[in-house]
Amino acid sequence: MGCYFPDRVTPTNPPTQAPDKDEVLRVYKEMLRIRRFEEQASRAYTQGKISGFLHLYIGQEAIAVSTADLMKDGDRVVTTYRDHGFALALGCEPDRCMAELFGKKDGLVGGVGGSMHFFDKDKGLWGGYAIVGGHIPVAAGHAFASKYLKDDAVTLCFLGEGAMHIGATHEGMHLAGLWKLPVVFVIENNQYAMGTPLSRQTLVDDLTVRAPAYRMTSDRWEVNDIFETRRRLAEAVERARKDHQPSLIELLTYRFRGHSMSDPAKYRTRDEVDVWKEKDPLHRAELSLRNDHGMSDDDIESVDDTIVEEMEAAVAFADASPQPEPEHRFRHHLFEDQ
Amino acid sequence: MGCYFPDRVTPTNPPTQAPDKDEVLRVYKEMLRIRRFEEQASRAYTQGKISGFLHLYIGQEAIAVSTADLMKDGDRVVTTYRDHGFALALGCEPDRCMAELFGKKDGLVGGVGGSMHFFDKDKGLWGGYAIVGGHIPVAAGHAFASKYLKDDAVTLCFLGEGAMHIGATHEGMHLAGLWKLPVVFVIENNQYAMGTPLSRQTLVDDLTVRAPAYRMTSDRWEVNDIFETRRRLAEAVERARKDHQPSLIELLTYRFRGHSMSDPAKYRTRDEVDVWKEKDPLHRAELSLRNDHGMSDDDIESVDDTIVEEMEAAVAFADASPQPEPEHRFRHHLFEDQ
Amino acid sequence: MPTLQIREALRDAIDEEMARDDRVFVMGEEVGHYNGAYKVTQGLLDKYGEQRVVDTPIAEAGFAGVGVGAAMAGLRPIIEFMTFNFSAVAFDQILNNAAKLRHLSGGQFTLPIVFRGPNAAAHMLSSTHSQAFESFYCGFPGVKVVSVATPYDAKGLLKTAVRDENPIIFFESEVQYGLKGEVPDGEYLIPIGEADIKRPGDDVTVITWGQGVAISLEAATMAADKGIQCEVIDLRSLRPWDTAAVLASVRKTNRVVLAYHGWPYGGTGAEVADFIAREAFDHLDAPIERVCYEDINFSYAENLENLAIPTPEKILAYIERVAYHNI
Amino acid sequence: MPTLQIREALRDAIDEEMARDDRVFVMGEEVGHYNGAYKVTQGLLDKYGEQRVVDTPIAEAGFAGVGVGAAMAGLRPIIEFMTFNFSAVAFDQILNNAAKLRHLSGGQFTLPIVFRGPNAAAHMLSSTHSQAFESFYCGFPGVKVVSVATPYDAKGLLKTAVRDENPIIFFESEVQYGLKGEVPDGEYLIPIGEADIKRPGDDVTVITWGQGVAISLEAATMAADKGIQCEVIDLRSLRPWDTAAVLASVRKTNRVVLAYHGWPYGGTGAEVADFIAREAFDHLDAPIERVCYEDINFSYAENLENLAIPTPEKILAYIERVAYHNI
Ligand SMILES: Cc1ncc(C[n+]2csc(CCOP(=O)(O)OP(=O)(O)O)c2C)c(N)n1
Ligand SMILES: Cc1ncc(C[n+]2csc(CCOP(=O)(O)OP(=O)(O)O)c2C)c(N)n1
Ligand SMILES: [Mg+2]
Ligand SMILES: [Mg+2]
């Protein structure tokens, strides 16, 4: 069973001040943009416009959005194949992201990577990786370079809870801890690795139990309130930047869709999903806008309409974008292949 | 610096009864047999009779000897390339062990493996492995089979502290913990991985800090008194056999020679070595025989002489043994290659 | 004869072998409760229980090694890699443990273990998920390598593999699990090491395996329309491979095209070509041609992927080239 | 010209490149305080400090991946594998990260990284420590593969490799680190992809690399006594390899023997042989022969190992075979 352990969650320290309406609205829009993008992608997939694997970020948006708010120039995000949310949060154009999903010329990486491999170096997106755990040493390497070059940059590396049990993750985290690298490892514990609930992946309920072995600072909470998430992530980012002290963070979250489009997610109950729907940070932000900031149905709807339009435009852009030129397939294998 | 942390060592519970003279003498002889064997091997290596890598067990003998005392029929030892001590303790003939080091026909595995790959299934020696960490999943697999076949056997898997940081070790231990396999993982922390002291391998001083992540029971002590070692190992073996509860044990020990014959061990001080010489279980057993059990220099010497003779005979046997037949190289790659 | 998908034929093979020998078990990611990422193991958990259908965390080196250790201790593991792309993290366990332990132990241990799963490019999965592993796993002693392309071969060879006393690398294909074909009722075994002539012919020998088989047969049909009769040989076993069947055909046709899913450098393609060039030196009327992947990392974009892989048209072009070479 | 050991030539190359570009650093097991398991990096820690000469725990996948990540971020890592046998646990990092990230990112990242260390059999190390990795690392796009056999080539090619913008697999040899040869003072570079004719001759082309070079030259001397003039070509680069130099020689001699340390199935040996058989089809007067490892796991016993590896005598036998083939 996908399990969640309130008792093991570290309590938060209270916010210094409550966010004002503009701020709530801004993050709400950012989260909603990701969700609507994913919904468009989902539709396009069922229409056969997107192929291969498509892993949606629906339910986890608050993590990418709060992360983006914390990033300074030069900071990096390294993540898994579940990477659309980070791309949008970091400012990549929905048009180019959707075009990548469509395998088109105007895609984020020219159509060569697809859903699992979004890269936008200038925006701080150092990549979506598709071999579970394989990106952990790479992220440690980015942080190694930051320390070597003294560029004050922080690398934020995201992984699923399922990636905690593979060797590369252990080795990468061990080296990051040993060498005190400026990196923050964030486990997005969405309770499942494909169809496998956490309880069949490990007997421990708290994945940060490994932090001491790596001499990392740890923190762990459930992602309901995006502002709490941002505040606590910020502490880890500063630890990395100022003290070169790496962190291991476990975020309890949930994906509302299947692992990928091909997964009907039969392995979980309606009730379980409903429990998490209540916790959904996007839903909570909407409630706050309604209850604390007096936004009406119409207000919310018009926000939504604009965003839906933006994402439909992205689909139109992707549709219209041409396929990559045939010769494009010979580029970038070696540096010489221009 | 090769570091040792008395503060972190779990205190022992007192022995139920002190061992009598025969028992002390028996384990003393067993440990001494290993040391004398290694000394002969060392000499033969310098004479060019042994080639390749030769990793000596001098200083760690008490671990193999106490392990052998605990093993029941069907139990297994899986270890590293530093495997001579286990072979002798488990009852493999010094003749065949030495012949293996000489690459001769009468070697334990017919000369194909050499020093790093002693195997004697019937004696419970399930092998010496030479890829660091690679044997941890294999040992877990033996334990998996025991649980599957309900044969009540326990697998004792030994590894150096240097093997704790590699992926295969993490994966193998994780699966053993998750599936509650009847296995005991014993870290022989001899303070160095080749020339690298523990302090440059990890920032933690206690390697059992990882046991909770694997839901294993842990224990940790310094190997001075072979009887304490046997008593505490026995608890882990019984946990595995009776409750299928795996353990992670860290033994603080020391190798008095270099990593292998090609290592002059310049990286450590005379003083450090002397400190450990005082702790040497073989030395302590000898003191006990002299002080508690009234053995004289002559008594000790005659014991030694017999053992030295046995090991010199092993060298003579290995010298006399022929090389493997040329056709032997085509055997055992596939089952059909008889 | 009943018609089955390759997926079903593989499942029946596993099911029959598990029923026959309770030392046989299946282990891998999502093989149990999820019924298999590609549904090859569907229903087996319900039938055999968690002890014999073992879901694992994501730890290929770990469970590949557990399989090796279990085989040494008397079990007969079937280890599923969700795809062989993920076996790269378990490479050491296969290369240094599975393939070597019998020899290293002087024959004290036997390693009856099957590593199976889909291999080579599927469709639009980009570079890390589109790789053919023949050139890696055929390159060292101590293992046997099999690659199946029809339901009949899939069932017969997997049953043989499970009974074999050696480590077997067993290649399937994601895009061919649904491919249908006749499978006789009742038990049959296909020996490892025997090629199968999927289509007889006298003019050109087309040597293929795995995903190459279907497109080679298509190409052969197109060639027939042009008056060229191809003999299409499905190697089925890549290590060891059927040198006799290949030589017999080449001595007859004197012309050879190899068509397969895999990168050009080395591997089975080069090995077979080099062998023929040496052993049939005086029988070749044309250079041996190889139709395989372009030597590039795969792209997600459909048009780019389609250009990189062998097609019936490409194979036909080379068939014509070798056939008309001396005219 | 000063005479250096290969070990010293490699060290000079690393030293010069580190002095020249402070983004270059060395990482691996025992490279620093221990001065290198085979002393290639001797003295570099004292000279450049712990930041640029980095000792690692035993975690090849970890530090290979750290190297990849550091290269993406602007550094130029030289990753030492104590031997390439231990790179098997890092295979995924090389195959799926180093070789693919430039392409996957649409060219956003550059991966100037060198993976170096001893390759192939040394002496009496048994099967897990005696493997040649060419067939694994040459088999996929996105990397270059180099193999050196003389101090001159070692220095010139390693300097080029460090300056190259791509992942380079750089093969050395444990048993040849002490091999001496002349190395000019002052800087020189050897381009990757250029073979070197180590001995000119008109009768038989002997293609070799790595540990094969010295024994091939011995065999060529023995052949000369029998009146057969061999042209010994050291490929030096295995991916890409010098097709032009090879074809030119083969068109002259019409006879080819490949001699190298490595298993027979596939790999560079089969790739080169297949290429020649196709591109020089009408120029060959004899089948191409390959002298390499027996297709077995290596044994520790000296006599068994010596029987499994190529020797000057074995190479000579094949030189004679191809030379007299048509007489
Ligand atoms: C080494 C490896 N093994 C298996 C896979 C197949 N696979 C892709 S995603 C996935 C599940 C990952 O779950 P988790 O880490 O929790 O991330 P999530 O998908 O939940 O975000 C698996 C098994 C892979 N990509 N790499
Ligand atoms: C994967 C791998 N990397 C490197 C080596 C080379 N090597 C052999 S033993 C060793 C040190 C191991 O130290 P430790 O685990 O502490 O065991 P000890 O030798 O001290 O008993 C190394 C680096 C190896 N055999 N395997
Ligand atoms: Mg998950
Ligand atoms: Mg040690």
Side-chain angles (χ1 to χ4, degrees), chain D residues 150-196:
Chain D
T150 68
Y152 178 82
D153 292 341
K155 184 178 179 187
L157 275 160
L158 185 50
K159 283 171 69 76
T160 303
V162 172
R163 296 187 199 185
D164 196 281
E165 299 296 343
N166 298 290
I168 312 280
I169 307 293
F170 195 94
F171 291 130
E172 304 159 8
S173 161
E174 227 159 303
V175 291
Q176 297 196 328
Y177 279 129
L179 189 148
K180 292 204 171 85
E182 291 192 330
V183 176
D185 297 306
E187 168 156 312
Y188 67 97
L189 299 170
I190 299 173
I192 292 173
E194 273 188 21
D196 180 49

Side-chain angles (χ1 to χ4, degrees), chain B residues 81-92:
Chain B
Y81 43 82
R82 201 176 296 282
D83 55 5
H84 314 161
F86 283 101
L88 293 175
L90 289 170
C92 302

Side-chain angles (χ1 to χ4, degrees), chain A residues 119 121 134 142 148 171 335-336, chain D residues 22 51 62 69 108 144 166:
Chain A
F119 285 82
K121 187 179 180 180
H142 299 334
Y148 189 106
E171 295 187 23
F335 183 79
E336 299 83 329
Chain D
D22 55 23
Q51 186 189 17
Q108 292 182 58
K144 297 180 182 178
N166 298 290

Side-chain angles (χ1 to χ4, degrees), chain B residues 161 190 192-193:
Chain B
E161 84 292 341
N190 60 9
Y192 293 87

Side-chain angles (χ1 to χ4, degrees), chain B residues 76 108-110 112-113 117-122 125-129 131-142 144-151 167-168 171-172 174-175 178-179 181 328-329 331-338, chain C residues 21-25 27 51-52 54-75 89 92-93 96-97 99-110 141-144 164-167 240:
Chain B
R76 311 174 177 97
L108 205 54
V109 294
V112 304
H117 303 294
F118 280 14
F119 285 82
D120 192 338
K121 187 179 180 180
D122 299 337
L125 181 60
W126 280 50
Y129 287 75
I131 302 297
V132 167
H135 64 304
I136 306 304
V138 174
H142 299 334
F144 178 91
S146 286
K147 191 169 183 175
Y148 189 105
L149 299 167
K150 304 188 175 50
D151 65 10
E171 296 187 22
H174 178 73
L175 295 177
L178 174 64
W179 293 332
L181 303 179
H328 189 76
R329 73 189 187 276
R331 301 183 64 196
H332 305 315
H333 302 285
L334 291 178
F335 183 78
E336 300 83 329
D337 309 329
Q338 287 314 326
Chain C
D21 181 347
D22 54 23
R23 296 166 306 168
V24 177
F25 70 97
M27 176 177 277
Q51 186 190 16
R52 298 184 63 194
V54 186
D55 281 321
T56 68
I58 306 165
E60 281 78 4
F63 65 77
V66 164
V68 168
M72 291 167 77
L75 300 184
V89 295
D92 174 71
Q93 287 295 328
N96 285 320
N97 284 341
K100 293 183 173 51
L101 281 165
R102 180 170 177 78
H103 174 255
L104 267 182
S105 65
Q108 292 182 58
F109 292 98
T110 305
V143 297
K144 297 179 182 179
D164 195 280
E165 299 297 344
N166 299 289

Side-chain angles (χ1 to χ4, degrees), chain A residues 160-162 188-194 201 255:
Chain A
E161 85 291 342
E188 294 186 76
N189 177 0
N190 60 9
Q191 316 302 326
Y192 293 88
M194 287 189 83
Q201 299 177 45
R255 58 164 161 77

Side-chain angles (χ1 to χ4, degrees), chain A residues 81-82 130 132 160-163 190 192-193 259, chain C residues 29 58 60 82 86:
Chain A
Y81 42 83
R82 200 177 296 283
V132 167
E161 85 291 342
N190 60 9
Y192 293 88
H259 168 71
Chain C
E29 292 154 8
I58 306 165
E60 281 78 4
M82 194 174 282
F86 312 139

